[in-house]
């Protein structure tokens, strides 16, 4: 893949202040523009999968049958629904963790423009080493982290928050060389999204990441419309709402603005993903892609009494050279998936490249 040389590094550093380390002079991952240019219409257009990939072959056969009106597995266009989780499915979740959680640590511990409450700082200092060293945090710590993820952005407008996300996207991933956070998309999985979109499938993101975070990350890069992004909801308020409930409050456009309340996200995980599909799509998917137990509800619902040919795919992070794979977890996930009748995708064995040339484990 063609190397792209970063220009204006000094200007970028001045623009972002202390916003991340832009020290790498060469970035050899696919740029956001290159990712956005991925266009797969036919089986011959795939570039980033190994030729012998069983997943690529299964998906090609599925699509060719679904779009052939003479096939017993033909699916009418209005029922060609595919859902994708984001983190760990088509975007990196390993460096060292989810994008949203990693940005929280930056916000609380490194952002000189923000003074976090002492309680949040103390908590972030306690758990950050565990997260970055991948020794794991306790369920109780995970619950507190979830509660504080949005507290750190209390009072921001949605527009201000999205701007913050976009700036954080310019920082380098941890543990992987030559890769910025805004470029950390799995190129083979982006090809699958493009292939389905070009063959009459309506593709949705069904993720536990927050809505403004997800939209900022994929905007202009992934061919999925913003109204097809089903994610964890931010809880908003207005600057004049006070103790009013939203349904009882008159919003005066001259005197107030919408801001993040700081209340926890409404988490779109596991079985809630089913309810999100019912409420926001209204039809059962025929294809679902995920990478963890957080996607189990979406998987099982897709396979349950589906009137059409259907399949689910679990991405297994088993690559320890081009990704931060965990062999023990990968083996466990693969065994469970096979037991449940879920297809698995081996990043190590099936992806010709993940992020682009020379992105390796540090």
């Amino acid at each position: 893949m063609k190397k792209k040389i970063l220009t204006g590094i000094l200007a970028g550093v001045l623009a972002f202040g202390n916003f991340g380390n832009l020290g790498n002079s060469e970035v050899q991952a696919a740029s956001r523009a290159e990712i956005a240019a991925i266009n797969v219409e036919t089986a011959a257009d795939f570039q980033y999968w190994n030729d012998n990939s069983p997943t690529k072959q299964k998906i090609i056969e599925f699509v060719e049958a679904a779009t052939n009106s003479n096939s017993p597995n033909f699916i009418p266009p209005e029922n060609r629904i595919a859902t994708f989780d984001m983190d760990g499915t088509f975007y990196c979740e390993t460096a060292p963790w989810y994008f949203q959680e990693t940005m929280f640590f930056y916000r609380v511990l490194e952002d000189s423009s923000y003074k976090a409450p002492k309680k949040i700082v103390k908590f972030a200092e306690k758990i950050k080493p565990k997260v970055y060293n991948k020794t794991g945090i306790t369920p109780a710590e995970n619950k507190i982290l979830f509660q504080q993820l949005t507290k750190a952005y209390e009072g921001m407008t949605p527009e201000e928050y999205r701007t913050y996300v976009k700036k954080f996207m310019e920082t380098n991933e941890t543990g992987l060389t030559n890769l910025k956070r805004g470029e950390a998309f799995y190129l083979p999985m982006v090809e699958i999204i493009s292939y389905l979109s070009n063959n009459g499938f309506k593709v949705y993101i069904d993720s536990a990441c927050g809505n403004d975070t997800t939209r900022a990350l994929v905007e202009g890069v992934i061919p999925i419309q913003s109204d097809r992004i089903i994610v964890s909801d931010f809880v908003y308020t207005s600057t004049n709402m006070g103790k009013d409930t939203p349904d009882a409050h008159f919003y005066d456009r001259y005197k107030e603005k919408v801001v993040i309340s700081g209340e926890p996200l409404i988490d779109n995980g596991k079985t809630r993903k089913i309810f999100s599909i019912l409420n926001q799509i209204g039809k059962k998917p025929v294809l679902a892609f995920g990478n963890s137990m957080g996607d189990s509800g979406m998987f099982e619902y897709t396979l349950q009494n589906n009137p059409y040919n259907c399949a689910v795919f679990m991405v297994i992070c088993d690559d320890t050279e081009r990704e931060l794979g965990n062999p023990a977890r990968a083996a466990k996930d693969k065994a469970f998936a096979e037991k449940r009748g879920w297809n698995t995708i081996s990043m190590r064995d099936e992806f010709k490249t993940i992020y682009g040339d020379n992105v390796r484990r540090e």
Side-chain angles (χ1 to χ4, degrees):
M1 182 175 294
K2 188 171 94 173
K3 293 183 179 180
K4 104 181 139 65
I5 307 299
L6 281 178
T7 60
I9 292 177
L10 179 59
V13 172
L14 291 174
F16 295 144
N18 293 325
F19 218 107
N21 172 24
L22 299 180
N24 288 334
S25 61
E26 290 188 349
V27 175
Q28 294 164 310
S31 69
R32 287 178 67 84
E34 289 171 328
I35 298 166
I38 290 174
N39 185 42
V40 179
E41 295 183 5
T42 69
D45 295 330
F46 285 98
Q47 300 180 53
Y48 299 126
W49 291 79
N50 288 328
D51 292 338
N52 62 351
S53 161
T55 297
K56 183 180 74 169
Q57 188 59 36
K58 285 177 184 177
I59 292 172
I60 290 169
E61 290 174 357
F62 187 100
V63 169
E64 289 179 346
T67 56
N68 180 356
S69 59
N70 294 319
S71 168
N73 288 325
F74 173 74
I75 302 174
E78 63 272 18
N79 293 315
R80 293 177 200 159
I81 306 293
T83 54
F84 284 76
D85 172 57
M86 185 175 73
D87 294 271
T89 300
F90 66 87
Y91 179 82
C92 178
E93 78 167 21
T94 59
W97 209 14
Y98 309 113
F99 177 95
Q100 204 162 243
E101 281 75 356
T102 307
M103 188 171 74
F104 166 80
F105 289 122
Y106 172 82
R107 173 74 167 164
V108 172
L109 300 177
E110 298 180 48
D111 184 358
S112 60
S113 70
Y114 172 66
K115 187 172 178 60
K118 290 182 179 179
K119 182 179 179 181
I120 295 181
V121 172
K122 185 177 180 180
F123 175 73
E125 288 175 337
K126 176 185 176 183
I127 69 165
K128 182 180 177 180
K130 297 181 181 182
V131 171
Y132 275 71
N133 294 328
K134 298 183 182 293
T135 56
I137 62 176
T138 68
E141 289 170 337
N142 190 60
K143 183 177 181 179
I144 295 171
L145 175 59
F146 182 78
Q147 292 170 341
Q148 294 183 350
L149 273 179
T150 48
K151 190 71 175 174
Y153 309 100
E154 184 175 1
M156 270 190 180
T157 66
E159 294 77 16
E160 289 168 342
Y161 179 80
R162 288 174 196 157
T163 297
Y164 198 87
V165 171
K166 289 177 181 179
K167 287 182 178 180
F168 189 66
M169 283 160 49
E170 291 297 316
T171 63
N172 292 328
E173 287 283 20
T174 303
L176 293 166
T177 63
N178 305 316
L179 183 66
K180 293 195 293 185
R181 289 190 166 93
E183 300 171 334
F185 293 90
Y186 303 157
L187 302 182
M189 296 305 296
V190 176
E191 284 193 316
I192 296 297
I193 293 172
S194 175
Y195 181 56
L196 293 175
S197 299
N198 283 330
N199 283 276
F201 283 78
K202 296 180 179 68
V203 180
Y204 292 79
I205 295 175
D206 193 0
S207 172
C209 191
N211 47 21
D212 282 326
T213 312
T214 304
R215 290 184 176 120
L217 270 171
V218 305
E219 183 181 17
V221 177
I222 305 298
I224 296 177
Q225 298 166 207
S226 61
D227 60 353
R228 293 182 183 170
I229 296 177
I230 304 169
V231 287
S232 294
D233 293 334
F234 273 91
V235 179
Y236 298 105
T237 186
S238 83
T239 49
N240 283 4
M241 187 177 292
K243 294 183 179 180
D244 289 351
T245 57
D247 59 310
H249 179 72
F250 177 80
Y251 181 81
D252 187 335
R253 69 185 188 277
Y254 300 111
K255 297 180 179 179
E256 58 188 313
K257 58 185 178 180
V258 174
V259 294
I260 295 170
S261 71
E263 292 297 311
L265 295 167
I266 300 173
D267 189 23
N268 185 47
K270 288 195 173 180
T271 300
R272 188 176 288 278
K273 288 197 173 189
I274 301 174
F275 304 154
S276 296
I277 290 169
L278 287 165
N279 287 329
Q280 299 188 50
I281 302 177
K283 292 184 177 182
K284 188 185 287 282
V286 294
L287 287 171
F289 298 82
N291 78 302
S292 72
M293 289 305 296
D295 305 309
S296 58
M298 178 174 66
F299 286 166
E300 293 291 287
Y301 181 63
T302 297
L303 296 175
Q304 184 182 40
N305 302 322
N306 203 312
Y308 299 104
N309 184 36
C310 60
V312 303
F313 294 85
M314 186 176 191
V315 179
I316 304 295
C317 189
D318 54 1
D319 196 308
T320 58
E321 294 183 7
R322 304 172 300 172
E323 238 286 6
L324 300 168
N326 181 326
R329 177 186 165 179
K332 183 179 179 180
D333 287 349
K334 181 177 175 64
F336 187 86
E338 291 176 348
K339 181 179 179 181
R340 299 301 306 179
W342 307 342
N343 293 290
T344 59
I345 302 173
S346 169
M347 297 176 73
R348 179 193 62 208
D349 298 335
E350 299 190 71
F351 289 179
K352 187 176 293 182
T353 187
I354 298 177
Y355 305 108
D357 299 341
N358 294 320
V359 176
R360 314 290 292 183
R361 190 171 187 148
E362 284 188 323

